[in-house]
Amino acid sequence: LPEADVMGALLRSYGECASLCRQREDGALVEALVEMGELRLRSGQPKQAIEAWRQALDSTFGTLDVVSSWRDALATARDLGVAQRGRALALCSAMALHSPRRQLGARLDCALFAASLSLSLYGGAVAHPVRAVDFAGYRVRELWAGSEAFEPYAFTTLRLLDGLQGAVVALLEYGMALQALPLTALYMHIASGVCRDSEHYLAAQTLAIEACAEAGQIHHAMCGLAAAYRGTNRPVGALQPTGASKPEEPLAYACHEPPSSAANSLAIETVLELVPASDAVELADVLLLTRLDLARVGTLLCVSEHGGAACGGAAPDL
């Protein structure tokens, strides 16, 4: 990092740049505020970083303190371009990631806003689910044909993958697994199809398993466990194709039958015997592998608590 006096001068310059951009070009203003937020974060000022990103979000929507009234802003989001919606989602995710845990309302509002914005990104010529619950087990192939949903600085300056992970974690911590499902599907798509980041992809799989289990979608949680442990579709590098799916028998869990039924007993036994693939052990952090093991435990606990009666039942729309 630059010396303190140099950093101070740099931040003042960004402030002056932002003032000029407010008078001339909105897009340049947002980018200047995003970069100023990153500088604040790097200099150990997370509160000021969040404030800069909040101003960038307000500029995107043309509304003051849009996070506090994000439900009203969703109608405006439909009128924004794809890149603007992606920018707003990246900003909300970064704010959710860096908001202090003691600021419960602000952190949750950012995460919920990001989740709702993720639903607005599913469109174009590709048919996607409409209800949040239908994103359980859903694999995104494409967002908008011919359009980039995220600007380059979303991946670098705002660290989009870290932000998406932080937003999903916040939703799960507050018991909002259903709202997290569309965001986990987007997180998996960006990690695998765009960034080809195997560790983030495994993290996304793990969070998707937790969300599915907590939302009562036990079948999808178990299928996710099998895919995560076996390394199915995991990206193996920026210049290499996605890892080929291993020829394993598909795992099926019948939610309308009790766990003690023959088919479900076999599925549970298969999940209990899963071990991480060798490439996961080499590439992933031990804490991430531990969280995957905990996701397996959590899924089996949901099975034992709910049995077959509530498993996979109808869920309300988001």
Side-chain angles (χ1 to χ4, degrees):
L1 285 175
E3 296 294 334
D5 54 344
V6 177
M7 178 63 78
L10 193 58
L11 287 170
R12 286 192 296 274
S13 297
Y14 266 103
E16 294 170 2
C17 175
S19 298
L20 289 172
C21 290
R22 282 190 178 92
Q23 305 170 22
R24 299 185 180 184
E25 187 178 345
D26 180 63
L29 168 63
V30 171
E31 192 164 356
L33 289 170
V34 167
E35 292 180 359
M36 185 164 68
E38 184 200 23
L39 286 173
R40 291 288 189 187
L41 191 66
R42 286 175 175 268
S43 59
Q45 301 173 4
K47 182 178 179 180
Q48 289 81 354
I50 291 172
E51 181 56 33
W53 293 334
R54 187 184 301 276
Q55 293 177 24
L57 195 60
D58 290 348
S59 178
T60 299
F61 282 87
T63 303
L64 184 64
D65 197 15
V66 68
V67 173
S68 299
S69 56
W70 64 267
R71 291 173 179 83
D72 297 330
L74 289 178
T76 307
R78 299 187 185 97
D79 299 327
L80 298 177
V82 178
Q84 288 176 301
R85 277 176 272 170
R87 175 202 303 162
L89 191 153
L91 285 164
C92 288
S93 299
M95 291 165 66
L97 175 65
H98 295 290
S99 291
R101 290 179 178 270
R102 65 179 179 274
Q103 295 181 0
L104 306 181
R107 183 169 175 246
L108 183 57
D109 278 340
C110 291
L112 284 171
F113 197 7
S116 298
L117 286 168
S118 71
L119 278 172
S120 74
L121 283 179
Y122 293 112
V126 183
H128 296 288
V130 177
R131 301 186 310 161
V133 68
D134 295 328
F135 281 90
Y138 180 69
R139 183 178 174 87
V140 180
R141 304 289 179 179
E142 186 179 24
L143 287 176
W144 285 77
S147 299
E148 295 294 335
F150 297 99
E151 293 155 311
Y153 64 77
F155 298 97
T156 53
T157 308
L158 288 174
R159 294 186 299 159
L160 178 62
L161 288 175
D162 291 340
L164 289 172
Q165 185 183 84
V168 173
V169 167
L171 291 172
L172 292 177
E173 286 180 354
Y174 288 102
M176 296 188 173
L178 181 64
Q179 290 88 338
L181 287 173
L183 202 56
T184 57
L186 180 65
Y187 181 23
M188 289 178 65
H189 169 67
I190 298 298
S192 175
V194 180
C195 297
R196 308 195 67 76
D197 188 310
S198 58
E199 191 161 0
H200 265 291
Y201 183 68
L202 182 57
Q205 285 181 300
T206 302
L207 294 174
I209 293 162
E210 294 179 19
C212 286
E214 292 178 23
Q217 304 299 305
I218 303 298
H219 166 71
H220 294 299
M222 288 199 167
C223 289
L225 281 166
Y229 276 100
R230 294 168 179 168
T232 305
N233 296 322
R234 185 174 302 143
V236 291
L239 301 178
Q240 298 176 349
T242 300
S245 301
K246 296 175 174 56
E248 301 278 359
E249 285 293 324
L251 192 152
Y253 186 88
C255 289
H256 60 280
E257 295 182 9
S260 58
S261 67
N264 287 347
S265 295
L266 179 61
I268 292 172
E269 184 178 339
T270 301
V271 166
L272 285 170
E273 293 176 350
L274 289 170
V275 294
S278 58
D279 60 335
V281 175
E282 294 173 2
L283 295 172
D285 183 85
V286 63
L287 294 178
L288 178 54
L289 293 175
T290 302
R291 180 147 192 169
L292 179 59
D293 287 335
L294 290 174
R296 168 165 55 183
V297 173
T299 300
L300 294 174
L301 282 173
C302 287
V303 171
S304 66
E305 289 173 358
H306 300 298
C311 173
D317 294 347
L318 174 58

